[in-house]
Amino acid sequence: MEFLSNIFSYMVNNWDHLLMLTIDHIIMVVVGIVLALIVGIPLGVISAKNEFLARIILSVANIIQVFPSIALLGMLMIFLGIGFKTVVVGLFLYSLLPIISNTYVGLREVDDSISEAGRGSGMTVLQLLFKVQLPLSLPFLLAGVRIAAVIAVGVATLAPFIGGDGLGKDIVDGINSRQEAKIYSGAIIAALLAILVDLTLGRAQKQTEQRIG
Amino acid sequence: MIEFKNVKKKYDNGYEALKNINLECSEGEITALIGPSGCGKTTLMKLINRLHNPTSGTITIAGKDTSSIDPIELRRKIGYVIQHVGLFPHMNIGRNVATVPKLLKWDKERTRKRVDELLEMVSLDPETYRDRFPSELSGGQQQRIGVIRALAVEPSIILMDEPFSALDPISREQLQDELIRLQRDIKKTIVFVTHDMDEALKIADKIALMKDGEIVQYGSPEEILRRPANDFVKEFIGEKRLEVYQDTPTIRQVMVNNPVTIYPHRGLAESLKRMEGKKVDSLIVVDERDHLLGYVTVFDVLKEYDNEAIKVKDLMHSFEYKVESHMLLPEAIQQMHERKASYLPVVDESGVLEGLLTRGSIVGYIGKEYDGEVEGVL
Ligand SMILES: Nc1ncnc2c1ncn2[C@@H]1O[C@H](COP(=O)(O)OP(=O)(O)O)[C@@H](O)[C@H]1O
Ligand SMILES: [Mg+2]
């Protein structure tokens, strides 16, 4: 009990500091994922159009994904130095696979007859993609973003090892200074953040699914 | 008019889906492509809007080779309805119907008006349905939307690939009736793929019956029913339908084959002599190539008989009504009755005189037909 109240009082006393860290954390995650969307969606589209390229792209993304996060961040540090930028690149790489593969699957799931109706009406390849195929794969894409975001919230707690901030900072500081309350408050907020992201994106995903019917 | 000339289609995997197709789909008519599954109907249809390209041969629309037209442009000018409806599930009905107007960048007002007009055309209240999503509509309603989406920019050609086959029999009948009614007003050139003979007989002006990538027989529903080209066609039509049609006599079976004719530039004395010789009270006027021009009666001839300068063509009347030899007899009798005509000229498609349907010939035919039965009774 005393342990829990310790954590609680730490949180109350340091709320402004924790808020700052949380915001930092969110910014890293959001930037990483936005970059992954910018790169991953086109790669997913290319994969859906070409089975051969799909195999290459998905294998590479898979390899990145199975790399242990500490090792990946360590390697990035060697190439990019330390700091925010390196963390974001790490999160970006981690988010790629779920986004590419879900875009790919989402596009392949679009009913052939619907695509054909679009083509038959005289849509260009790009019109078909933007007006029909991508909107219809939105639920899948959102599922990908959801997975990516939850992973990224977790991976981002490693940021302090390579000179970043975020909730990991309190965890690492806490470990170094043997302050349990500090460690746990960082960890708890990170976990809550992950749950919140999961629930919100889960709901968005359901809504788009329903709308598409 | 859509014209296929020596069209072959081989798919990338080497399968020869179409073998030397020659076909004309006439302006303003419904041409049905019919045949068993896999015979190449869809392939043939998709060559028209270039969803496929032929391996060899040419397809022309109004004389223009389609390979010289940009496929995107071409498709926006050709309505397209598919079997699985293919409505865009993420767009409401209004936006679905407005697909092609949007691609053609019509302004908002014009598009909105057209969408409402189309919805009304298929008896769906615009206020109610415009903002609904496809999943909120019944199968029949969805396919109505599929059809009006294809009509949106008033294309002169519409392609329909088994549009009603997924519907329950009642909705299917309804939509067929609606299509017939609609076509009476819009007079589009429609290519209609089906595997249902009843459907083809009901809606088509011409039927192309296909098998293994070839057209086995092409003709009007009447022609195909009456003169099936081979056993495959007979089997495809089915015994039942053949019996019904073949039991009803056509004009060809009843008509007089050698009507007494005269050329328009002949004189009256010759006319009168002919009438006397053949014991008829009028002559059918034809040109040298047997094209029907009209008729003269014995009264006309006698009235002007003294005037040597007068020729047949000066006294000639034209016919209000003609029939073709494949027409069913009951229909023709009905017409004779309504028009109080004692005979009707029978012509072929190009207006060449083939015979004459007279009251005498009808009585003669019926007498012959019932001969056996009457004897049996006695
Ligand atoms: N893209 C394709 N590649 C290879 N073969 C095809 C393709 N599309 C259709 N076929 C084959 O061509 C034949 C004719 O197909 P289709 O025109 O769809 O027939 P139908 O519409 O009369 O049922 C079938 O045997 C089918 O398997
Ligand atoms: Mg087909």
Side-chain angles (χ1 to χ4, degrees):
Chain A
M1 255 347 267
E2 198 200 316
F3 170 65
L4 281 182
S5 66
N6 270 346
I7 296 173
F8 188 70
S9 65
Y10 176 83
M11 283 179 163
V12 172
N13 292 332
N14 295 283
W15 69 271
D16 49 348
H17 166 70
L18 286 169
L19 184 66
M20 279 287 297
L21 293 183
T22 309
I23 292 172
D24 274 347
H25 204 91
I26 293 173
I27 290 175
M28 289 188 295
V29 169
V30 168
V31 175
I33 287 188
V34 167
L35 288 178
L37 285 171
I38 293 171
V39 176
I41 293 177
L43 287 176
V45 171
I46 292 170
S47 303
K49 304 265 169 203
N50 185 317
E51 207 40 55
F52 175 72
L53 289 177
R55 252 178 283 154
I56 297 176
I57 291 170
L58 289 170
S59 320
V60 172
N62 247 316
I63 292 169
I64 296 174
Q65 193 73 21
V66 295
F67 236 78
S69 37
I70 278 283
L72 182 76
L73 294 178
M75 269 184 25
L76 287 175
M77 196 168 66
I78 296 170
F79 292 111
L80 298 172
I82 57 170
F84 176 80
K85 188 177 66 181
T86 314
V87 182
V88 165
V89 172
L91 296 179
F92 155 75
L93 289 175
Y94 263 108
S95 306
L96 269 181
L97 179 70
I99 288 174
I100 296 174
S101 67
N102 278 46
T103 306
Y104 167 76
V105 172
L107 288 173
R108 308 217 68 176
E109 285 293 309
V110 173
D111 198 332
D112 279 345
S113 63
I114 292 172
S115 297
E116 186 173 303
R119 254 193 304 280
S121 306
M123 289 186 183
T124 62
V125 174
L126 285 182
Q127 285 168 333
L128 188 63
L129 188 66
F130 285 112
K131 289 178 180 232
V132 178
Q133 294 168 329
L134 280 176
L136 285 178
S137 22
L138 199 58
F140 286 89
L141 180 60
L142 279 176
V145 172
R146 182 180 169 194
I147 296 165
V150 172
I151 295 174
V153 169
V155 173
T157 55
L158 299 175
F161 291 116
I162 48 174
D165 283 330
L167 292 164
K169 196 164 163 49
D170 249 21
I171 301 176
V172 175
D173 284 355
I175 292 171
N176 290 340
S177 60
R178 297 175 193 278
Q179 274 183 277
E180 282 200 336
K182 209 169 181 181
I183 305 175
Y184 281 104
S185 60
I188 288 170
I189 296 174
L192 287 177
L193 195 58
I195 292 170
L196 187 72
V197 165
D198 192 44
L199 289 178
T200 322
L201 288 172
R203 175 167 295 174
Q205 187 191 334
K206 285 260 158 49
Q207 270 173 2
T208 53
E209 264 164 20
Q210 267 165 12
R211 210 163 60 86
I212 285 168
Chain B
M1 190 175 71
I2 308 165
E3 204 175 353
F4 293 84
K5 273 195 212 128
N6 304 322
V7 169
K8 294 191 176 118
K9 173 69 187 176
K10 203 178 209 173
Y11 280 112
D12 293 339
N13 63 7
Y15 184 80
E16 205 179 2
L18 295 173
K19 306 160 188 165
N20 204 34
I21 298 283
N22 287 287
L23 176 68
E24 281 177 17
C25 307
S26 314
E27 201 84 44
E29 284 195 347
I30 301 184
T31 304
L33 305 177
I34 188 168
S37 173
C39 68
K41 309 180 289 293
T42 298
T43 306
L44 186 59
M45 200 191 74
K46 285 185 182 171
L47 289 173
I48 299 172
N49 65 357
R50 296 194 61 193
L51 284 174
H52 290 321
N53 288 309
T55 310
S56 67
T58 55
I59 297 127
T60 56
I61 294 177
K64 197 159 186 231
D65 191 337
T66 53
S67 65
S68 69
I69 309 172
D70 173 51
I72 301 290
E73 297 285 311
L74 182 69
R75 288 174 204 151
R76 290 177 185 176
K77 287 193 198 122
I78 297 180
Y80 187 48
V81 189
I82 58 179
Q83 174 176 5
H84 305 283
V85 192
L87 294 184
F88 305 123
H90 59 301
M91 298 182 189
N92 64 22
I93 298 306
R95 284 182 60 208
N96 263 288
V97 176
T99 303
V100 187
K102 276 215 174 120
L103 291 174
L104 294 176
K105 306 209 160 53
W106 281 19
D107 66 59
K108 277 218 172 68
E109 187 53 26
R110 182 177 176 204
T111 306
R112 198 192 57 78
K113 262 189 156 151
R114 179 65 181 151
V115 167
D116 288 359
E117 190 179 300
L118 287 160
L119 283 168
E120 270 160 16
M121 207 152 92
V122 289
S123 316
L124 293 171
D125 175 37
E127 291 301 326
T128 316
Y129 287 98
R130 201 191 291 128
D131 299 323
R132 292 206 182 165
F133 281 85
S135 57
E136 299 170 293
L137 267 57
S138 72
Q141 290 172 332
Q142 289 185 22
Q143 195 51 288
R144 282 184 180 85
I145 304 300
V147 171
I148 60 173
R149 180 174 64 180
L151 296 176
V153 298
E154 305 199 42
S156 56
I157 296 174
I158 298 163
L159 310 179
M160 306 177 101
D161 193 352
E162 309 208 13
F164 309 143
S165 65
L167 301 177
D168 62 276
I170 294 174
S171 322
R172 189 183 316 148
E173 289 268 336
Q174 267 177 9
L175 267 103
Q176 289 166 349
D177 292 337
E178 276 176 42
L179 179 66
I180 294 169
R181 182 175 54 77
L182 210 64
Q183 170 69 349
R184 224 174 282 147
D185 300 332
I186 60 181
K187 287 265 162 256
K188 305 288 183 189
T189 306
I190 299 179
V191 179
F192 190 103
V193 168
T194 178
H195 60 255
D196 175 356
M197 196 65 189
D198 286 318
E199 185 167 74
L201 292 173
K202 181 168 169 183
I203 64 168
D205 297 297
K206 295 283 162 48
I207 295 178
L209 212 149
M210 296 179 63
K211 183 190 181 219
D212 299 337
E214 286 172 306
I215 293 177
V216 183
Q217 189 170 9
Y218 171 82
S220 68
E222 275 285 330
E223 281 163 344
I224 291 196
L225 282 168
R226 285 194 180 286
R227 290 186 293 279
N230 56 30
D231 287 346
F232 169 76
V233 179
K234 275 189 199 154
E235 199 178 316
F236 198 83
I237 299 171
E239 289 294 325
K240 275 245 167 55
R241 285 191 209 92
L242 280 177
E243 272 171 23
V244 172
Y245 270 80
Q246 290 180 343
D247 281 353
T248 316
T250 51
I251 291 175
R252 182 184 303 285
Q253 288 162 267
V254 182
M255 70 186 183
V256 177
N257 286 312
N258 309 305
V260 189
T261 59
I262 187 135
Y263 296 136
H265 49 82
R266 296 302 178 146
L268 299 189
E270 184 184 344
S271 307
L272 195 61
K273 200 149 171 281
R274 269 195 163 219
M275 290 186 197
E276 275 169 2
K278 303 276 184 179
K279 300 198 170 30
V280 291
D281 65 359
S282 49
L283 296 175
I284 310 297
V285 185
V286 294
D287 67 12
E288 279 78 357
R289 271 185 265 120
D290 271 346
H291 286 103
L292 177 71
L293 298 175
Y295 65 96
V296 286
T297 67
V298 66
F299 307 111
D300 301 328
V301 173
L302 289 175
K303 219 162 94 192
E304 302 287 343
Y305 194 72
D306 295 338
N307 189 344
E308 262 182 52
I310 293 211
K311 305 285 180 211
V312 165
K313 65 172 188 288
D314 305 316
L315 300 177
M316 183 177 82
H317 308 275
S318 54
F319 285 103
E320 275 175 38
Y321 193 73
K322 322 165 223 207
V323 290
E324 292 191 10
S325 60
H326 56 73
M327 195 169 170
L328 298 177
L329 184 61
E331 227 175 302
I333 292 178
Q334 178 75 22
Q335 289 295 340
M336 279 175 89
H337 178 70
E338 274 173 20
R339 289 162 199 277
K340 306 212 181 329
S342 51
Y343 61 89
L344 293 175
V346 184
V347 291
D348 71 8
E349 283 155 15
S350 54
V352 169
L353 182 70
E354 289 192 305
L356 220 53
L357 185 70
T358 66
R359 295 185 171 183
S361 65
I362 295 170
V363 173
Y365 177 84
I366 293 173
K368 233 178 10 203
E369 278 293 291
Y370 287 89
D371 218 15
E373 282 174 41
V374 174
E375 269 172 20
V377 170
L378 292 174

